Amino acid sequence: MLVLFVLLLLGVLLVIGLPVAFGMAVSGAVGLYLYGGMPILSGILSTTPLTTANSYEMITIPMFILMAEFVILSGIASDLFRAATIWVGRVRGGVAMATAIAGAGFGAISGSSTAAAATLAATSLPEMIKQGYEPKLAGGVVAISGTLAMLIPPSVALILYGILADVSISALLIGGIIPGLIVTVAIILTVWILVILWPESAPGGRSYSFAEKFASLKRVGPMLVLFLAITGTIYSGIATPTEASGIGAFIAMLLAIRERKLTPSTLWAALRNSAQTSCMILFIILGAHVFGYFITITRVTNDLSEWVAALPLAPLAIMALILVGYIILGFFMDQIAILILTVPVVLPIVLKLGFDPIWFGVIVVVTAEVGMVTPPLGMNVFVVARYTRRPLGELFRGVMPHVWAHLVVIALLTLFPGIILWLPSTMR
């Protein structure tokens, strides 16, 4: 009864609009007090803030966020889009396909999905509208392409999962590479199918000479340098994710200096935005730890694991139900909040079923991408709507074909876990 009361209290606090961090901290504290009185509550509240903030891996979050700020400042995303357009812009729907490629490239140097969506909306969307693309198609591909930053390293979502699940962040980041490429191909194929079925929705583009194509690759160089500085050093074992995040932020700053975009005011804005976002994430983790202590003390995870293990269903069927639950939660909750709320409870069940925690982490993040573009809380769609000033209903309809393609990718990765685990297994 106590657990049900605390869960109901958490639900009420979230429904009335209390921030997730406060909701988890307050409901967890009330549960701890009712369970063991003030001694347990005061002991946990006096030690949890320090243990939460004193994690070495936690440094990766502000560093990667700062790197993303410098990347946006330097204008690399615009260069990526222009280069991709030159290479694939000739075919019908080519600029939309170039948006997916640019989204993957931006995802490789930024861990923020909403930042990626905003950047693509500011760069590729006006170009597509100008060329005569149907706004529904253009907005849909921009919104879904922004989600690639959640999966392709450096991914803040994967880092958070690694901290919560206490598994290798390096293996998680490397494990996201191949699924990220598969999702990119799925977006491109979806656009290709859409323009075949409705050719009036996208015009054909202009062709470019080979000289122009190879000249455009010069602007892709900074992105490759950043990608090698982060993913390359992690995969080769030269640097840990924490060290790679610092290297990436430093190189991104040098790129912003080279482009003459770094001034005292822009530097201050980048530092302020990074600090605000990092503090928000850290506070959410702190609240999750308080709530997690209550869940652990009351043995909810143990009882739930034993109950699920006793169900007359195959492990893969139970995993399918878990993923459907994540998709439904994504309709109503922020993806980071979902990870922090569910991973401590669901992961023991997943391990008891015999699944790999690295595979599960990547699958959960791929599933969370669906929530970024589905109503009523599809954050990326809201970001795109702000730039296009188009009706939300139209944009949600435009992104639905990509959602179905995403579900196919999730099924593929679930049935063939080796797709995710192959690269991590080759790491030194």
Side-chain angles (χ1 to χ4, degrees):
M1 288 299 295
L2 176 59
V3 174
L4 292 176
F5 170 75
V6 171
L7 291 176
L8 180 62
L9 175 62
L10 174 61
V12 170
L13 293 177
L14 295 178
V15 167
I16 65 176
L18 197 69
V20 174
F22 284 103
M24 289 188 293
V26 170
S27 57
V30 170
L32 288 169
Y33 178 78
L34 295 176
Y35 181 83
M38 202 63 196
I40 289 181
L41 177 60
S42 60
I44 289 176
L45 292 182
S46 63
T47 58
T48 300
L50 180 60
T51 56
T52 300
N54 201 30
S55 170
Y56 177 66
E57 290 80 9
M58 200 71 71
I59 302 172
T60 57
I61 294 175
M63 286 294 99
F64 278 138
I65 293 173
L66 180 61
M67 185 188 74
E69 291 288 335
F70 286 140
V71 164
I72 294 171
L73 189 62
S74 66
I76 291 177
S78 301
D79 296 335
L80 284 173
F81 171 69
R82 282 194 291 269
T85 301
I86 289 173
W87 279 88
V88 300
R90 177 185 176 184
V91 300
R92 184 175 295 277
V95 180
M97 298 176 187
T99 299
I101 297 171
F106 191 75
I109 50 180
S110 167
S112 170
S113 176
T114 51
T119 304
L120 291 172
T123 54
S124 65
L125 198 53
E127 182 66 22
M128 283 191 280
I129 299 298
K130 177 182 175 182
Q131 291 191 20
Y133 277 75
E134 185 181 12
K136 181 173 69 173
L137 172 67
V141 75
V142 167
I144 196 68
S145 298
T147 65
L148 290 167
M150 287 185 64
L151 182 58
I152 298 177
S155 163
V156 173
L158 286 174
I159 292 170
L160 278 176
Y161 173 86
I163 293 172
L164 293 168
D166 194 23
V167 296
S168 170
I169 294 176
S170 299
L172 281 168
L173 293 177
I174 298 303
I177 295 176
I178 294 180
L181 295 176
I182 292 175
V183 173
T184 305
V185 172
I187 296 171
I188 293 173
L189 288 177
T190 303
V191 171
W192 179 66
I193 293 171
L194 289 175
V195 297
I196 287 178
L197 295 176
W198 295 281
E200 70 280 1
S201 63
R206 57 162 290 198
S207 60
Y208 294 86
S209 66
F210 277 107
E212 290 175 307
K213 289 181 177 180
F214 285 110
S216 70
L217 295 180
K218 290 191 301 183
R219 303 300 296 174
V220 182
M223 185 274 289
L224 294 177
V225 170
L226 265 179
F227 182 77
L228 291 174
I230 301 164
T231 309
T233 56
I234 293 173
Y235 181 76
S236 63
I238 295 174
T240 65
T242 306
E243 294 163 346
S245 67
I247 295 171
F250 179 70
I251 293 178
M253 183 185 71
L254 294 181
L255 291 174
I257 293 173
R258 192 194 72 165
E259 298 295 328
R260 298 183 180 179
K261 299 290 182 64
L262 194 66
T263 63
S265 60
T266 57
L267 175 61
W268 171 248
L271 293 173
R272 185 185 64 235
N273 293 339
S274 301
Q276 289 175 342
T277 305
S278 301
C279 288
M280 177 193 70
I281 294 174
L282 186 62
F283 196 43
I284 291 175
I285 296 174
L286 171 60
H289 280 180
V290 174
F291 189 80
Y293 279 122
F294 168 74
I295 294 295
T296 302
I297 288 175
T298 53
R299 294 182 54 84
V300 170
T301 53
N302 299 63
D303 296 340
L304 194 58
S305 298
E306 293 172 2
W307 178 76
V308 169
L311 289 174
L313 294 173
L316 202 58
I318 296 174
M319 177 56 64
L321 292 175
I322 291 173
L323 294 180
V324 169
Y326 271 102
I327 292 173
I328 294 172
L329 283 176
F331 296 160
F332 307 103
M333 292 180 63
D334 175 77
Q335 278 57 48
I336 289 179
I338 292 172
L339 282 177
I340 292 174
L341 277 172
T342 61
V343 168
V345 178
V346 175
L347 186 61
I349 300 173
V350 171
L351 296 177
K352 199 172 186 70
L353 292 171
F355 294 106
D356 188 278
I358 302 295
W359 168 82
F360 179 67
V362 176
I363 281 286
V364 165
V365 171
V366 177
T367 306
E369 289 180 340
V370 175
M372 296 296 296
V373 293
T374 48
L377 292 179
M379 186 60 67
N380 279 18
V381 176
F382 281 93
V383 171
V384 174
R386 192 181 74 181
Y387 282 89
T388 60
R389 303 192 184 280
R390 306 293 299 188
L392 281 171
E394 177 185 89
L395 294 176
F396 277 123
R397 288 193 299 273
V399 86
M400 281 310 298
H402 298 285
V403 171
W404 289 112
H406 237 78
L407 295 178
V408 172
V409 172
I410 292 170
L412 176 69
L413 297 176
T414 302
L415 294 173
F416 301 99
I419 296 174
I420 294 173
L421 297 175
W422 176 65
L423 271 182
S425 68
T426 63
M427 291 176 65
R428 296 180 183 178

